[in-house]
């Protein structure tokens, strides 16, 4: 058929990279126009042969047929990096580009060894600075020492690292990938973004995405022109081509929270942001329409340089005052905004393309499908014992659970391992959700999910974690994290299903750039759940498919083993705090953590206090589903003579109970062996209320298993001290890091001279970072070295797996 077409007058536009000029992003392209009117008998093949014969010249773009390509690779643990990568891939078309999207573990789908298009990496970090599961193999591959320094010489990349500054190893995976890419010769074409979930990813993410497209086009142009200019050799060979002269200066690292907290009145330009307002006229109109009715008729003000700033109402309580008019206290809230945000034009994200078809089928018999809980690694085990470790007047409630794993030898664990607890969503919340969606009468219907054939979503697939033939009730109980905080893309999608104009506008604000601060204040910080959001926006009626598309998988919760199999054969202990979320306007009653709240309810009838009679007695023991999560590095030293230091305040002491129980057994079995010194730094609020495992720890000290127990209490005597206005030159140690500092000489000696190990477990938000900073100070002082040298020493300890963390929060 195409043969017939060449008889017609055809214009084939082929952008052929011939040029050596690279003054701007487009001048590297030389457009050759084939007026093919005369080519009546030219075969298409011949045409392509001609094109290909332009030696080494690359066809970069052929409108309507060949678009320049680039590669997007992601490593994602909880789906954030994946959804950003998918967003980039979806938007590529608007920029006249083709994105090839793959997960880093799909190595059969991409080939970096031969890749000659720009590559964009989006990688998150998990646990103690580890790569996400689906990036592990990739990181391992690029870390191979056998790779030469020019292995990726041909590669041009950009990288977005996701992390959380609450954790000590911020963006560690992204940094590792970046370091290795550079060591292997790859060239960066765009400054790396380090997006911080601790303050809101969008602070760095939005400007990074904004500059990405220009950078990709620049890189395509440069790579093509370099390939066609033999004088240049491979990309990046010349020192003149160092990233500095080439990378758009987006100053990503200078952005701080303050940048987007600016409350200046801004009428944002509607078409400056490719992601938030694509250049298509449709979208432009859509964005203009987002101005409130009061502004709809007024012209959109000229774009300002800070047109992307957030124009939040930010403060929940605001006063307005006009001359002669009394003060009226207005309060911004989840559902209500104030000027300037309420009057601002908005840049909202592109509407995520729907991709699932979902139907409900009435069936006669409801199968009790247990789906993934039938996984061979997941075991249903009885709870043998449940003990409250804290006193009733303690701020936090810490519980110890003993599981009977004797029927499952494959659950044999080592101290330092943790295990996953599979918990369902709360039955009342599932019911509320069904009612809210108007699906309460269909709870036992089978859910049938298939891919929408016409979807525009790249790489769309039916979620693999949803088993076939499950009931709607099962779906909401076991598969979807209905407590998850709705992402902005989800809010954007909800706008389409909201009838009331005021509510619609507020949802638009919350997902807009201008409303970033309000999003953090009213959605992200209070961990607002989707159900709470739907309750606050009653005119929003999303279809079931939208919830399945946007709600993440319900994740099991990991807990550290707080026992040793040697001391408690067939038993597994763990300790947890019942997480309490405070009340907020959208959640007047507050709520408990999902898993810890569920466990608390489960064991409450049989809960005992230390020293009181225990066991569930004649009642049937509740059972829970668990699976083992071995941790190969967070283990006591295999050489018994090596000294080690444990830092574990609060429930962070859990794995160290296992370490010490194991040491107790080892001592009994090897009475003649030389054992290294053991140190434990523990901290809690009050000696009398929440000193976990006090008796057991003091017992370890008496028997010589634990050589040094350093305990501090952050709230004891505080009131007394304040009353007496005590000011002493040496502050009383309140936190574990203070006690570390008081023992600085010993600690550094053990770590730096005796080849000892240091383990940190517990709260990631403050403690792990404070301990890390303190260790740095200690090294600086003891070795009389500068900050950089101290950092190197600490990094060396991490590398040697002698400084290990097991942190959460
Ligand atoms: P969710 O409903 O999931 O809410 C969690 C949210 O609550 C978090 O996003 C956070 O913002 C907030 N939060 C407030 N306080 C805490 C807190 N103390 N922990 C976590 N989130 C908090 N927890 C233990 O208590 N004991 C352990 O031994 C333990 N070991 C862990 C080992 C590993 C490897 C990891 C990754 C985590 C571990 N955790 C441990 C944390 C645990 O997995 C859960 O996150 C925690 O119990 C909260 O679960 P939830 O479902 O009740 O809360």
């Amino acid at each position: 058929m195409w043969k017939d077409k060449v008889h017609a007058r055809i214009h084939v536009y082929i952008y052929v990279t011939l040029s050596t000029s690279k003054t701007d992003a487009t001048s590297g392209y030389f457009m050759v126009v084939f007026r093919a009117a005369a080519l009546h008998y030219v075969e298409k093949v011949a045409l392509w042969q001609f094109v290909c014969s332009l030696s080494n010249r690359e066809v970069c773009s052929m409108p309507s047929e060949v678009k320049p390509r680039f590669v997007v690779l992601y490593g994602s643990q909880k789906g954030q990096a994946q959804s950003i990568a998918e967003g980039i891939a979806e938007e590529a078309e608007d920029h006249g580009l083709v994105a090839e999207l793959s997960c880093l573990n799909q190595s059969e789908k991409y080939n970096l060894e031969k890749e000659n298009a720009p590559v964009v990496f989006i990688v998150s970090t998990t646990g103690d600075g580890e790569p996400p599961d689906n990036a592990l193999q990739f990181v391992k591959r690029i870390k191979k020492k056998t790779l030469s320094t020019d292995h990726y010489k041909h590669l041009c990349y950009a990288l977005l690292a996701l992390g959380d500054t609450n954790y000590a190893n911020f963006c560690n995976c992204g940094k590792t990938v970046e370091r290795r890419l550079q060591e292997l010769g790859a060239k960066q074409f765009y400054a790396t973004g380090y997006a911080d979930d601790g303050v809101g990813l969008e602070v760095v993410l939005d400007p990074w995405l904004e500059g990405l497209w220009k950078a990709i086009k620049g890189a395509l142009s440069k790579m093509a022109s370099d390939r066609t200019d033999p004088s240049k050799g491979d990309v990046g060979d010349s020192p003149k081509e160092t990233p500095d002269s080439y990378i758009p200066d987006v100053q990503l690292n200078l952005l701080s929270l303050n940048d987007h907290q600016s409350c200046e009145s801004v009428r944002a330009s509607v078409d400056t942001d490719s992601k938030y307002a694509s250049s298509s006229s449709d979208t432009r109109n859509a964005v203009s329409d987002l101005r409130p009715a009061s502004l709809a008729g007024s012209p959109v003000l000229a774009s300002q340089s800070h047109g992307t700033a957030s124009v939040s109402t930010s403060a929940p309580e605001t006063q307005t005052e006009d001359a002669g008019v009394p003060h009226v206290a207005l309060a911004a809230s989840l559902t209500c905004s104030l000027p300037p945000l309420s009057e601002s034009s908005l840049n909202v994200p592109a509407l995520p393309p729907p991709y699932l078809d979902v139907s409900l089928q009435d069936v006669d018999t409801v199968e009790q499908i247990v789906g993934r809980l039938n996984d061979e690694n997941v075991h249903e085990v009885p709870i043998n014992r449940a003990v409250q470790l804290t006193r009733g007047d303690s701020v936090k409630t810490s519980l110890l659970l003993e599981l009977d794993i004797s029927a499952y030898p494959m659950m044999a664990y080592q101290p330092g391992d943790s295990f996953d607890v599979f918990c369902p969503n709360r039955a009342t919340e599932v019911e509320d959700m069904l009612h809210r969606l108007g699906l309460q009468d269909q709870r036992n219907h089978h859910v049938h999910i298939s891919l929408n054939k016409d979807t525009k979503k790249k790489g769309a697939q039916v979620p693999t974690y949803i088993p076939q033939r499950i009931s709607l009730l099962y779906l909401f109980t076991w598969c979807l994290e209905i407590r998850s905080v709705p992402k902005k893309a989800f809010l954007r999608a909800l706008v389409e299903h909201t009838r009331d104009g005021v509510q619609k506008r507020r949802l638009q604000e919350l997902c807009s750039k201008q409303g970033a601060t309000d999003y953090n204040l009213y959605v992200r910080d209070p961990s607002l759940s989707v159900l709470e959001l739907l309750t606050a926006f009653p005119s929003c009626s999303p279809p079931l498919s939208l919830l399945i598309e946007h709600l993440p998988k319900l994740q099991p919760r990991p807990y550290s083993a707080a026992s040793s199999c040697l001391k408690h054969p067939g038993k597994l202990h763990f300790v947890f705090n019942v997480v309490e979320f405070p009340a907020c306007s959208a959640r007047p009653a507050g709520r408990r953590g999902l898993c810890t709240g569920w466990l608390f309810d489960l064991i409450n009838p049989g809960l005992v206090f230390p020293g009181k009679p225990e066991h569930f007695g004649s009642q049937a023991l509740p059972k829970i589903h668990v699976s083992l999560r071995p941790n190969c590095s967070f283990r006591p030293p295999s050489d018994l003579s090596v000294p080690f230091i444990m830092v574990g305040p609060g429930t962070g002491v859990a794995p160290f109970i296992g370490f010490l129980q194991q040491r107790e057994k080892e001592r009994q079995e090897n009475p003649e062996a030389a054992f290294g010194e053991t140190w434990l730094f523990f901290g809690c609020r009050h000696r009398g209320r929440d000193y976990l495992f006090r008796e057991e720890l003091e017992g370890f000290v008496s028997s010589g298993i634990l050589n040094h127990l350093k305990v501090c209490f952050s709230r004891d005597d505080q009131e007394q001290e304040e009353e007496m206005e005590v000011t002493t030159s040496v502050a009383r140690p309140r936190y574990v890091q203070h006690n570390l500092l008081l023992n600085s000489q010993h600690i550094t000696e053990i770590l730096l001279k005796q080849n000892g190990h240091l383990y940190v477990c517990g709260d990631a938000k403050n403690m792990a970072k404070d301990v890390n900073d303190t260790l740095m100070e200690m090294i600086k002082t003891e070795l009389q070295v500068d900050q950089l040298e101290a950092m190197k020493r600490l990094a060396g300890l991490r590398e040697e797996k002698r400084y290990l963390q097991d942190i959460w929060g």
Side-chain angles (χ1 to χ4, degrees):
M1 206 167 94
W2 62 270
K3 274 186 187 172
D4 301 333
K5 284 188 186 160
V6 294
H7 286 270
R9 181 188 174 92
I10 54 171
H11 290 216
V12 183
Y13 292 89
I14 305 171
Y15 292 81
V16 182
T17 52
L18 297 168
S19 167
T20 57
S21 155
K22 60 186 186 87
T23 48
D24 67 39
T26 51
S27 63
Y29 295 106
F30 202 97
M31 195 178 78
V32 177
V33 181
F34 291 87
R35 285 194 176 268
L39 298 178
H40 281 255
Y41 303 103
V42 174
E43 295 280 339
K44 192 173 185 178
V45 172
L47 178 63
W48 277 106
Q49 277 170 349
F50 169 74
V51 170
C52 298
S53 74
L54 298 171
S55 73
N56 278 334
R57 288 163 188 170
E58 180 174 305
V59 177
C60 291
S61 171
M62 192 162 87
S64 84
E65 278 196 37
V66 181
K67 288 178 180 171
R69 56 181 279 280
F70 70 103
V71 175
V72 188
L73 299 175
Y74 64 84
S76 186
Q77 190 70 21
K78 291 189 177 164
Q80 301 223 82
Q82 180 177 350
S83 78
I84 293 167
E86 286 171 356
I88 293 172
E90 270 153 31
E91 207 187 325
E93 210 173 311
D94 297 345
H95 296 272
L97 301 170
V98 170
E100 290 172 11
L101 174 73
S102 305
C103 174
L104 279 166
N105 68 357
Q106 296 171 307
S107 53
E108 72 290 352
K109 285 181 68 184
Y110 63 94
N111 185 355
L112 292 187
E113 274 62 30
K114 296 213 171 115
E115 190 51 73
N116 61 4
V119 181
V120 179
F121 292 90
I122 315 286
V123 281
S124 63
T125 294
T126 184
D128 180 18
E130 268 105 47
D133 290 345
N134 58 17
L136 267 173
Q137 287 308 319
F138 171 78
V139 174
K140 217 165 141 188
R141 254 193 343 262
I142 62 169
K143 274 175 132 181
K144 275 191 192 141
K145 297 234 160 69
T146 49
L147 297 178
S148 67
T149 51
D150 61 357
H151 187 79
Y152 285 143
K153 195 179 169 193
H154 57 284
L155 208 66
C156 268
Y157 76 92
L159 189 143
L160 175 70
L162 307 187
D164 188 330
T165 43
N166 290 310
Y167 293 75
N169 271 326
F170 177 59
C171 286
N172 192 46
C173 177
K175 288 177 184 168
T176 305
V177 171
E178 163 136 66
R179 196 189 65 238
R180 279 308 281 159
L181 288 174
Q182 298 215 347
E183 284 169 358
L184 300 175
K187 295 285 174 292
Q188 188 192 44
F189 70 83
Y190 184 44
T192 294
Y194 300 98
D196 179 5
D197 210 10
V199 294
L201 291 176
E202 63 277 8
V203 178
V204 163
L205 177 64
D206 289 352
W208 191 87
L209 288 173
E210 208 171 304
L212 179 67
W213 300 104
K214 193 172 168 206
I216 293 175
K217 286 176 185 170
L220 278 163
S221 162
K222 184 172 188 296
M223 291 169 89
S225 79
D226 286 352
R227 270 195 292 276
T228 56
D229 183 352
S231 69
K232 288 189 182 155
D234 289 327
V235 172
D237 259 358
S238 149
K240 278 180 287 178
E241 293 166 354
T242 52
D244 283 354
S245 60
Y246 184 52
I247 298 168
D249 179 15
V250 290
Q251 301 204 337
L252 296 169
N253 298 323
L254 298 179
L255 285 166
S256 71
L257 199 59
N258 293 335
D259 295 312
H260 80 128
Q261 281 179 331
S262 159
C263 286
E264 289 174 64
S265 177
V266 173
R267 302 281 190 269
S269 160
V270 293
D271 57 1
T272 50
D273 182 340
S274 55
K275 167 139 176 96
Y276 285 81
S278 94
S279 57
S280 86
S281 56
D282 283 359
T283 320
R284 216 174 279 152
N285 290 339
V287 174
S288 302
D289 288 343
L290 301 187
R291 285 177 299 141
S294 59
L295 288 179
S298 60
V300 175
L301 298 186
S303 166
Q304 299 182 13
S305 60
H306 51 312
T308 57
S310 163
V311 287
S312 157
T313 51
S314 66
E317 294 289 331
T318 309
Q319 298 260 315
T320 59
E321 183 183 13
D322 289 330
V325 179
H327 285 270
V328 180
L330 293 175
S333 68
L334 174 65
T335 50
C336 172
S337 67
L338 296 179
L341 180 59
S342 59
E343 292 172 355
S344 173
S345 297
L346 302 174
N347 295 78
V348 296
L351 182 64
Y355 65 98
L356 293 178
D357 286 335
V358 178
S359 60
L360 295 173
Q361 288 161 0
D362 196 359
V363 285
D364 293 338
T365 51
V366 182
E367 294 169 43
Q368 290 304 315
I369 307 153
V370 283
R372 74 191 150 85
L373 299 187
N374 265 352
D375 181 325
E376 59 179 21
N377 297 317
V378 179
H379 309 292
E380 194 179 14
V381 298
I383 299 174
N384 220 24
R385 198 159 66 101
V387 184
Q388 177 156 335
L389 300 179
T390 44
R391 237 172 49 183
D393 54 357
S394 170
V395 172
K396 291 181 180 172
T397 305
S398 303
L399 304 175
L400 177 142
L401 261 57
E402 180 180 275
L403 305 180
D404 180 356
I405 55 167
S406 52
Y408 301 101
M410 60 294 263
M411 280 285 291
Y413 62 96
Q414 301 283 316
D417 285 347
S418 42
F419 61 96
D420 282 334
V421 172
F422 293 81
C423 62
N425 283 311
R426 275 189 94 77
T428 50
E429 286 171 31
V430 171
E431 277 306 314
D432 288 349
M433 181 65 101
L434 290 171
H435 273 84
R436 183 61 185 75
L437 298 175
L439 296 172
Q440 66 275 20
D441 296 333
Q442 283 138 283
R443 61 167 65 75
N444 290 324
H445 287 196
H446 273 172
V447 186
H448 188 262
I449 308 172
S450 61
L451 207 59
N452 179 331
K453 290 192 186 62
D454 302 322
T455 184
K456 294 207 168 66
K457 184 179 165 68
K458 289 259 158 54
Q461 56 177 7
V462 175
T464 48
Y465 50 84
I466 303 182
Q468 297 281 319
R469 297 174 57 74
I470 52 162
S471 69
L472 186 57
L473 192 63
Y474 183 90
L475 175 81
F476 278 122
T477 306
W478 288 104
C479 304
L480 303 176
E481 185 95 46
I482 61 173
R483 287 261 187 105
S484 67
V485 178
K487 301 246 162 37
K488 290 181 184 174
F490 193 7
L491 297 181
R492 173 67 190 89
L494 289 174
V495 169
E496 303 303 298
H497 304 280
T498 306
R499 288 181 307 279
D500 177 87
V502 174
Q503 291 174 25
K504 208 172 176 133
R505 162 76 194 186
R506 185 57 176 151
L507 286 173
Q508 285 162 342
E509 286 171 0
L510 290 171
C511 68
S512 71
K513 277 190 173 182
Q514 291 76 10
T517 308
D518 274 20
Y519 175 81
N520 283 347
L521 209 53
Y522 302 115
V523 181
R524 184 177 180 278
D525 295 348
S527 297
L528 198 79
S529 74
V530 177
L531 187 59
E532 285 159 350
L533 185 98
L534 290 177
T535 308
F537 291 84
S539 82
C540 178
S541 305
L544 177 59
S545 58
L546 198 77
L547 275 90
I548 302 175
E549 284 168 359
H550 287 270
L551 290 177
K553 173 187 174 189
L554 177 58
Q555 299 277 359
R557 274 43 174 180
Y559 293 91
S560 308
S563 52
S564 157
C565 273
L566 298 178
K567 176 146 190 190
H568 298 281
K571 302 286 188 299
L572 168 61
H573 295 180
F574 70 105
V575 184
F576 62 94
N577 283 330
V578 181
V579 172
E580 302 279 354
F581 289 88
C584 63
S585 58
R587 186 196 305 131
R591 68 165 191 235
R592 291 207 168 112
L594 182 69
C595 186
T596 54
W598 172 70
L599 285 170
F600 182 77
D601 291 344
L602 206 63
I603 49 91
N604 204 12
L607 189 60
V608 295
F609 291 82
K612 304 246 171 82
E614 33 194 78
H615 296 289
F616 281 88
S618 56
Q619 301 171 48
L621 298 180
K623 290 182 172 181
I624 58 173
H625 288 91
V626 295
S627 75
L628 190 61
R629 270 172 70 120
N631 182 334
C632 299
S633 47
F634 202 85
R635 296 265 162 85
S638 48
D639 179 349
L640 300 179
S641 68
V642 167
F644 63 94
I645 302 149
M646 300 163 279
V647 182
T651 49
V653 73
F656 305 132
I657 299 297
F659 279 31
L660 293 166
Q661 289 180 354
Q662 173 161 304
R663 174 55 61 101
E664 187 179 5
K665 285 286 160 191
E666 285 164 348
R667 273 181 169 262
Q668 285 166 6
E669 284 162 19
N670 309 282
E672 303 304 319
F675 286 89
E677 266 195 347
T678 50
W679 291 69
L680 174 66
F681 291 82
F682 177 78
C684 60
R685 285 169 183 247
H686 300 281
R687 183 188 294 273
R689 297 186 210 170
D690 54 356
Y691 185 170
L692 312 183
F693 298 103
R694 179 176 179 176
E695 279 173 26
E696 191 160 0
L697 289 174
E698 289 174 352
F700 286 136
V701 174
S702 323
S703 57
I705 289 154
L706 179 59
N707 304 105
H708 304 274
L709 173 62
K710 303 288 173 190
V711 189
C712 54
F713 307 99
S714 62
R715 306 296 156 89
D716 270 352
D717 305 324
Q718 195 171 331
E719 296 86 3
Q720 206 181 332
E721 272 180 26
E722 278 163 8
E723 266 171 36
M724 295 165 66
E725 293 184 2
V726 175
T727 47
T728 55
S729 54
V730 181
R732 179 178 60 83
R734 285 190 196 283
Y735 298 105
V736 281
Q737 63 269 22
H738 300 153
N739 259 338
L740 279 170
L741 209 51
L742 290 177
N743 294 276
S744 180
Q745 234 177 337
H746 292 293
I747 304 298
T748 46
E749 166 98 14
I750 289 172
L751 288 178
L752 303 172
K753 301 205 176 124
Q754 298 175 16
N755 222 21
H757 291 214
L758 186 136
Y759 305 85
V760 181
C761 181
D763 168 36
K765 289 237 158 75
N766 306 306
M767 183 274 294
K769 219 157 49 155
D770 291 343
V771 166
N772 190 71
D773 293 348
T774 305
L775 288 171
M776 196 107 78
E777 285 308 311
M778 286 159 57
I779 293 176
K780 267 165 72 178
T781 311
E782 299 300 330
L783 297 187
Q784 293 291 298
V785 292
D786 63 13
Q787 179 88 0
L788 191 66
E789 185 55 31
M791 277 169 82
K792 278 193 201 157
R793 294 291 180 112
L794 218 48
L797 289 173
R798 277 182 188 280
E799 198 89 338
E800 292 168 31
K801 304 266 180 225
R802 292 198 293 118
Y803 171 24
L804 293 151
Q805 292 180 324
D806 186 9
I807 53 178
W808 62 80

